[in-house]
Amino acid sequence: MSRLFALLLLCGVALSQSRLELVPAQSEARYRVREQLAGINFPTDAVGVSKQVLGLVRLDRNGRALEGSRFAVDLSALTSDEARRDNFIRRNTLNTAQYPLAEFVPREVRGLSFPLPTSGKASVQIVGELKIREVQKSVTWEGEVEFRGDTATLQARTRFTFRDFGLTQPRVLSVLSVDENIRLEVSFTFRVLER
């Protein structure tokens, strides 16, 4: 009898999970790259935004991501304040005709308590695999999640270099130099389907 109880308890723990679904209409992904423009005496940030995002995350009670957890960003939808930059990035840096998506598969979320709260904020680290074009690397996002009822909002960022993913740095006439570092940011809103 005690073995049966222990087995049922173990199965119950294994089945306990949190599930959050991205709300695309309220979410976006951004890149930031420091650049020096011709005719301007100080560096500025080039910022490109894609609002074409999809995603779902399922977590066990230890914060480990379960099968099916995945996020995708449509890179062909990236736009900034400069059309020439956007065209160069789509054609040369990202080759979005062949590789339209950046994909992130989370492996673990650190800093959350379970079951997920209905209010409050938490600092989090999200560890997983980021794939851009044909290169896949482990990255860690740093951020903050805020819970409000059945909604959770995440602000998170990570960084890497063009070289890390074999990407070509943008080169256009109006740009004197482009920093090697790429900063990625996400502003994601989730529906909390299971706590």
Side-chain angles (χ1 to χ4, degrees):
M1 183 71 166
S2 62
R3 282 186 184 172
L4 179 60
F5 179 78
L7 184 61
L8 289 173
L9 185 62
L10 195 60
C11 288
V13 169
L15 293 174
S16 295
Q17 66 171 286
S18 300
R19 190 163 55 104
L20 299 95
E21 182 179 63
L22 196 65
V23 181
Q26 298 172 32
S27 302
E28 67 179 36
R30 295 178 296 278
Y31 73 79
R32 288 183 187 274
V33 176
R34 184 60 51 123
E35 64 182 9
Q36 179 69 55
L37 301 176
I40 297 179
N41 293 329
F42 53 88
T44 58
D45 279 349
V47 181
V49 178
S50 176
K51 295 180 181 288
Q52 302 298 313
V53 294
L54 294 171
L56 173 75
V57 63
R58 296 169 52 234
L59 301 169
D60 70 13
R61 293 303 189 234
N62 295 310
R64 288 187 299 263
L66 302 173
E67 190 176 338
S69 297
R70 180 179 169 271
F71 296 93
V73 177
D74 185 347
L75 299 176
S76 66
L78 281 169
T79 56
S80 69
D81 62 348
E82 178 57 60
R84 285 179 296 176
R85 178 196 299 120
D86 297 341
N87 289 333
F88 184 97
I89 288 172
R90 284 188 201 112
R91 279 194 302 249
N92 303 301
T93 303
L94 298 172
N95 187 7
T96 58
Q98 188 173 354
Y99 308 103
L101 300 179
E103 297 175 290
F104 179 70
V105 176
R107 300 294 181 208
E108 181 183 7
V109 179
R110 301 172 185 152
L112 292 178
S113 60
F114 298 94
L116 296 176
T118 56
S119 65
K121 296 181 180 180
S123 295
V124 294
Q125 283 187 327
I126 305 159
V127 180
E129 302 296 318
L130 177 64
K131 184 177 182 183
I132 300 174
R133 296 183 15 162
E134 294 180 334
V135 179
Q136 182 171 308
K137 295 217 177 252
S138 179
V139 299
T140 300
W141 297 78
E142 303 278 348
E144 183 178 78
V145 63
E146 181 174 6
F147 295 94
R148 291 184 182 172
D150 290 332
T151 300
T153 55
L154 170 70
Q155 304 290 330
R157 68 212 149 274
T158 192
R159 67 172 53 218
F160 49 83
T161 67
F162 282 89
R163 195 176 311 115
D164 288 338
F165 284 87
L167 303 174
T168 303
Q169 287 178 262
R171 301 272 188 249
V172 293
L173 291 177
S174 60
V175 178
L176 297 177
S177 65
V178 174
D179 192 77
E180 173 69 11
N181 295 296
I182 301 171
R183 290 167 285 158
L184 294 188
E185 302 170 347
V186 295
S187 297
F188 283 173
T189 297
F190 294 91
R191 271 188 295 273
V192 181
L193 304 176
E194 294 178 67
R195 294 200 176 278

